[in-house]
Amino acid sequence: MNFLKRLENEILIADGAMGTLLYSYGKDSCIEQLNLSHSEQIMDIHKAYLDAGAQIIQTNTYAANYLKLSRYGLEDSVKEINSKAVQLAKQAVQSKAYIVGSMGGNRGINPQAISIEEIKRSFREQLYCLLLEGVDGILLETYYDLEELETVLAIARKETDIPIIAQVSMQEVGILQDHTTIGEALNRLESLGADVVGLNCRFGPHHMLMALEQIAIPSKAYLSAYPNAGLPAYTDGVFHYDGDPDYFRKSAQSFREQGVRLLGGCCGTTPEHIRAFALELKDTEPVQEKALKIKEEKIVISTPTIEREYLPLQNIVKERPSVIVELDPPKKLDTTKYFRGVQALKEKGIDAITMADNSLASPRISNSALGHLVKQQTGVRPLIHITCRDRNVIGLQSHLMGLHTLGLHDLLAITGDPARVGDFPGASSVYDVSSFELIQMIKQFNEGLSFSGKDLGQKTSFSVAAAFNPNVRQLDKAVQRLEKKITYGADYFITQPVYSEEKIISIYEETKHLDTPIYIGLMPLTSSKNAEFLHHEVPGIKIADSIRNSMAAYKDDPIKASQEGINITKALIDTAAELFNGIYLITPFLRYEMTVELSEYANQTSERLRRKHRV
Ligand SMILES: Cc1cc2nc3c(=O)[nH]c(=O)nc-3n(C[C@H](O)[C@H](O)[C@H](O)COP(=O)(O)OP(=O)(O)OC[C@H]3O[C@@H](n4cnc5c(N)ncnc54)[C@H](O)[C@@H]3O)c2cc1C
Ligand code: MET
Ligand SMILES: [Zn+2]
């Protein structure tokens, strides 16, 4: 009899964690490789779960797929590891329990990191190995990404008639990372042919039950739950779970009342947790129906949203010429010169001061702290750059909430220069998300939702710029990137500095079909050395030969060299202002007197053009 037949009238108990029990073999070692090197210990774990009352035992193959094994150089051992795992499970349980082949999800918070094609290939290979060795069912577990689970489930359903258990892991209580509710997700898995659908990992009994209370018992499939032993603690570099088996015993009846028919454990659980479930549910019957807990209407406390004090820059630059100036926070603690610069630029009537986020991956005074002071003390609009390099998705969201609270609504979302280019090359570059998802995250905040779809209680009113690097061989490719950034929600673009009139004209030609405004980046050169460094060493910057030659002519005269840098930029302003409303001036080395002069020139140029076009 296969175990589905038994689930018609019984609650079955599954085993608990393998991975966290095997963690003691080394946190960086490959758990699945232990099938080959520590066969006895793997069998002992299976036997312990069997002895505790588990009726369904998983193979130690959760991450035994090409994608994950290749991290350990074990990509050629997929067959050997999976076959051995099934053999060990069979030998350990001696037909006293069913054996299911565990196959875990691969995708994390950034689903795009692994393509569906790679997932399909890797999944098929592992599936064939497990089927060939003969398992009683397939356990698809710990899928954070529903698209991945739906894809692999469809493959498995096509390849085999044995029972399939399909389990998702929630991002927040009741919802997946793509914001699908678990009710909807389980329905979709059921209609793709899963025989058992449910939840595993990430949460313990408390939150899993909260989620299950909100969903109906599936009509065709059976419901499963494999909770974690609570949340992990982190001590001396290792994770450990202290969840008490007696707490599991107390929750067993609640799982039954929610309609669960297959109950096991995930991370942190031990044979003792499973024994507690088994003893508590022994001889109890599954429930056929349950009352749904109606989600209480949320009381919306209407706190006033923080209003924008300035019109978004995209609205301004669509209507009239606009100059914004980058003045980066200092690398040292004295801000006297910085504020002198802000004041001088304010007098030129610029629309914003843009403030880099540790550009070139070197630490500077926090741009949100300094931006707040700039706004408070001078009334100039700060435009805050945000990179994905220094903050993970927790830090990014906390930062956005902070910026909203400070009333800093103008942002530039960028991936950011990698740590290896900066002062601390060994520091980690986080990159949980790229500029695309960061733009999306900011736009979701504007809808009042966190990155995971959680209600923020208020909507933000961010305006989000994105970076445009036109200094590439194939400008059309860079423009395709812009188009993609627009679909993610970019409101306008700011370019890397450009150093030729031809480049400005080709940017215009390649982007004139876009409705989204562009600020053209211009940075005055300070010396010939500066020009050579930027051209040869700074990613994303290329300087025309003619310009480098004219800077070289003043190699030995720093004053004339910087005047030449200003003159070159003025000529570029003449071209840019004919074609674009937006001019973005970058202040080199806090030498604000240069961008002050150029801001004035840019304003005069647009005034001149306005008069000319009126005539
Ligand atoms: C206006 C502006 C302000 C900036 N401010 C900062 C700052 O404050 N701090 C900081 O660290 N960096 C800053 N940078 C640098 C920036 O982070 C990148 O180095 C670069 O400009 C790419 O922009 P992005 O980060 O949005 O990358 P994305 O467009 O998100 O690109 C991400 C990745 O794709 C690659 N890529 C980009 N374009 C292409 C293409 N056409 N073809 C193939 N691959 C491509 C990039 O190299 C990068 O690895 C700024 C850049 C600009 C233009
Ligand atoms: C990260 S979830 C892991 C699930 C798997 N069944 C294990 O216990 O190792
Ligand atoms: Zn787990």
Side-chain angles (χ1 to χ4, degrees):
M1 189 178 2
N2 80 23
F3 64 81
L4 293 182
K5 198 83 197 126
R6 291 190 54 186
L7 284 171
E8 279 178 19
N9 308 304
E10 280 180 63
I11 293 175
L12 293 183
I13 300 297
D15 57 357
M18 296 297 293
T20 46
L21 283 186
L22 291 163
Y23 206 45
S24 57
Y25 288 97
K27 63 186 161 96
D28 296 322
S29 67
C30 173
I31 298 287
E32 288 71 18
Q33 191 275 338
L34 297 172
N35 294 335
L36 307 178
S37 62
H38 291 72
S39 305
E40 282 300 324
Q41 285 83 346
I42 302 293
M43 286 206 292
D44 286 346
I45 294 178
H46 292 321
K47 284 181 197 160
Y49 277 123
L50 184 72
D51 179 62
Q55 296 151 298
I56 297 199
I57 297 285
Q58 64 189 282
T59 54
N60 184 38
T61 52
Y62 168 73
N65 62 52
Y66 177 91
L67 292 169
K68 289 208 172 137
L69 288 180
S70 57
R71 292 184 197 161
Y72 302 94
L74 290 168
E75 61 277 13
D76 294 332
S77 305
V78 176
K79 182 160 192 295
E80 199 186 354
I81 289 174
N82 281 280
S83 306
K84 186 74 179 185
V86 182
Q87 290 159 13
L88 293 178
K90 282 185 176 173
Q91 210 179 324
V93 310
Q94 296 289 327
S95 305
K96 289 189 218 114
Y98 299 97
I99 291 165
V100 290
S102 162
M103 301 182 76
N106 293 285
R107 279 180 160 180
I109 49 165
N110 184 6
Q112 265 72 41
I114 310 176
S115 75
I116 279 293
E117 285 315 310
E118 283 178 285
I119 282 170
K120 283 182 180 171
R121 262 197 304 278
S122 164
F123 181 82
R124 277 206 179 90
E125 182 188 21
Q126 190 189 2
L127 179 70
Y128 295 149
C129 297
L130 292 169
L131 293 178
L132 204 66
E133 207 59 51
V135 284
D136 302 310
I138 295 291
L139 172 64
L140 305 176
E141 55 173 345
T142 328
Y143 283 81
Y144 282 93
D145 183 61
L146 186 57
E147 184 193 15
E148 179 181 8
L149 180 53
E150 289 185 287
T151 306
V152 300
L153 170 59
I155 294 175
R157 188 69 297 164
K158 207 164 144 215
E159 295 293 335
T160 179
D161 293 329
I162 62 173
I164 299 177
I165 306 162
Q167 293 180 155
V168 287
S169 297
M170 300 182 285
Q171 166 93 25
E172 306 272 352
V173 173
I175 47 173
L176 304 185
Q177 67 178 16
D178 70 355
H179 309 164
T180 313
T181 62
I182 56 155
E184 157 80 13
L186 300 191
N187 278 341
R188 273 156 60 176
L189 298 172
E190 182 182 43
S191 60
L192 281 167
D195 302 291
V196 181
V197 294
L199 308 174
N200 80 290
C201 208
R202 172 90 169 88
F203 290 109
H206 176 77
H207 291 101
M208 237 179 224
L209 286 164
M210 265 168 77
L212 291 174
E213 281 167 5
Q214 295 164 19
I215 62 160
I217 299 175
S219 52
K220 291 203 297 285
Y222 299 108
L223 191 60
S224 64
Y226 285 47
N228 280 356
L231 300 171
Y234 190 63
T235 322
D236 296 335
V238 283
F239 286 106
H240 57 95
Y241 291 80
D242 300 329
D244 161 18
D246 195 50
Y247 174 65
F248 262 50
R249 182 185 61 72
K250 290 182 193 140
S251 72
Q253 286 300 343
S254 308
F255 279 108
R256 187 184 76 88
E257 283 157 23
Q258 290 311 319
V260 170
R261 295 210 185 181
L262 176 61
L263 185 60
C266 205
C267 297
T269 57
T270 64
E272 288 320 301
H273 293 84
I274 298 305
R275 192 182 307 282
F277 273 165
L279 288 176
E280 189 64 23
L281 292 181
K282 195 164 178 283
D283 302 326
T284 57
E285 298 216 333
V287 300
Q288 306 293 338
E289 45 190 49
K290 69 174 191 185
L292 275 195
K293 188 161 180 181
I294 307 296
K295 229 176 153 185
E296 282 162 38
E297 272 307 308
K298 274 204 192 127
I299 303 161
V300 181
I301 305 161
S302 62
T303 40
T305 41
I306 296 171
E307 294 292 340
R308 281 188 143 268
E309 289 131 84
Y310 317 90
L311 206 59
L313 277 174
Q314 68 268 23
N315 296 25
I316 291 177
V317 71
K318 270 186 184 168
E319 294 299 319
R320 62 159 172 84
S322 165
V323 178
I324 58 176
V325 180
E326 178 163 333
L327 192 65
D328 290 336
K331 286 185 170 181
K332 294 188 178 176
L333 294 173
D334 185 359
T335 57
T336 321
K337 186 172 177 195
Y338 190 85
F339 278 97
R340 255 189 249 134
V342 176
Q343 203 55 46
L345 288 161
K346 179 185 175 181
E347 281 157 25
K348 299 297 163 200
I350 60 163
D351 285 317
I353 297 259
T354 95
M355 304 174 73
D357 185 8
N358 303 326
S359 51
L360 291 175
S362 297
R364 290 168 179 272
I365 295 179
S366 145
N367 59 1
S368 49
L370 207 54
H372 175 62
L373 291 181
V374 164
K375 183 173 163 239
Q376 221 178 29
Q377 294 181 9
T378 69
V380 175
R381 174 209 307 251
L383 193 161
I384 307 293
H385 302 199
I386 307 181
T387 71
C388 307
R389 180 197 53 236
D390 303 336
R391 298 179 186 87
N392 63 15
V393 287
I394 304 164
L396 283 172
Q397 294 185 83
S398 151
H399 188 43
L400 290 177
M401 289 195 261
L403 290 168
H404 167 79
T405 310
L406 292 173
L408 301 174
H409 307 296
D410 295 279
L411 311 178
L412 167 67
I414 43 199
T415 300
D417 299 318
R420 66 171 177 276
V421 308
D423 289 355
F424 295 90
S428 46
S429 298
V430 179
Y431 298 144
D432 270 2
V433 291
S434 74
S435 63
F436 297 113
E437 292 86 24
L438 176 57
I439 295 168
Q440 189 179 35
M441 182 191 289
I442 296 169
K443 280 308 173 79
Q444 219 161 287
F445 268 57
N446 282 355
E447 297 301 313
L449 297 173
S450 76
F451 194 47
S452 59
K454 214 174 178 172
D455 182 5
L456 291 170
Q458 267 185 33
K459 292 179 178 182
T460 58
S461 51
F462 292 124
S463 143
V464 53
F468 173 20
N469 180 10
N471 300 318
V472 288
R473 251 185 240 130
Q474 291 175 291
L475 192 52
D476 56 334
K477 289 263 165 61
V479 174
Q480 282 168 15
R481 237 182 141 70
L482 295 195
E483 287 163 353
K484 189 167 164 196
K485 286 181 179 176
I486 294 172
T487 64
Y488 278 79
D491 293 313
Y492 62 106
F493 293 104
I494 307 182
T495 80
Q496 286 280 27
V498 286
Y499 288 98
S500 84
E501 289 168 24
E502 297 74 40
K503 182 59 89 182
I504 296 171
I505 294 166
S506 54
I507 296 173
Y508 174 75
E509 289 302 328
E510 290 285 342
T511 61
K512 62 183 180 207
H513 63 288
L514 300 177
D515 221 15
T516 312
I518 297 174
Y519 279 88
I520 296 294
L522 302 170
M523 177 165 74
L525 298 166
T526 54
S527 65
S528 174
K529 271 194 184 152
N530 173 233
E532 294 307 308
F533 166 73
L534 290 172
H535 179 72
H536 293 289
E537 298 195 35
V538 176
I541 300 187
K542 285 282 161 268
I543 303 179
D545 290 351
S546 57
I547 290 182
R548 278 163 47 221
N549 291 341
S550 61
M551 289 304 292
Y554 300 104
K555 222 174 13 214
D556 302 319
D557 189 337
I559 296 178
K560 282 202 176 133
S562 60
Q563 194 51 52
E564 180 63 7
I566 288 181
N567 292 342
I568 292 166
T569 313
K570 285 182 178 172
L572 294 169
I573 288 176
D574 289 343
T575 309
E578 285 275 1
L579 302 171
F580 294 91
N581 266 350
I583 303 283
Y584 158 60
L585 299 168
I586 302 149
T587 312
F589 314 113
L590 262 186
R591 290 178 59 176
Y592 61 84
E593 70 287 354
M594 295 180 95
T595 40
V596 164
E597 182 175 342
L598 290 166
S599 300
E600 185 168 6
Y601 183 80
N603 287 335
Q604 287 164 355
T605 309
S606 22
E607 184 56 25
R608 190 164 38 80
L609 288 172
R610 196 174 63 84
R611 285 212 203 97
K612 185 174 115 187
H613 292 147
R614 226 204 259 153
V615 177

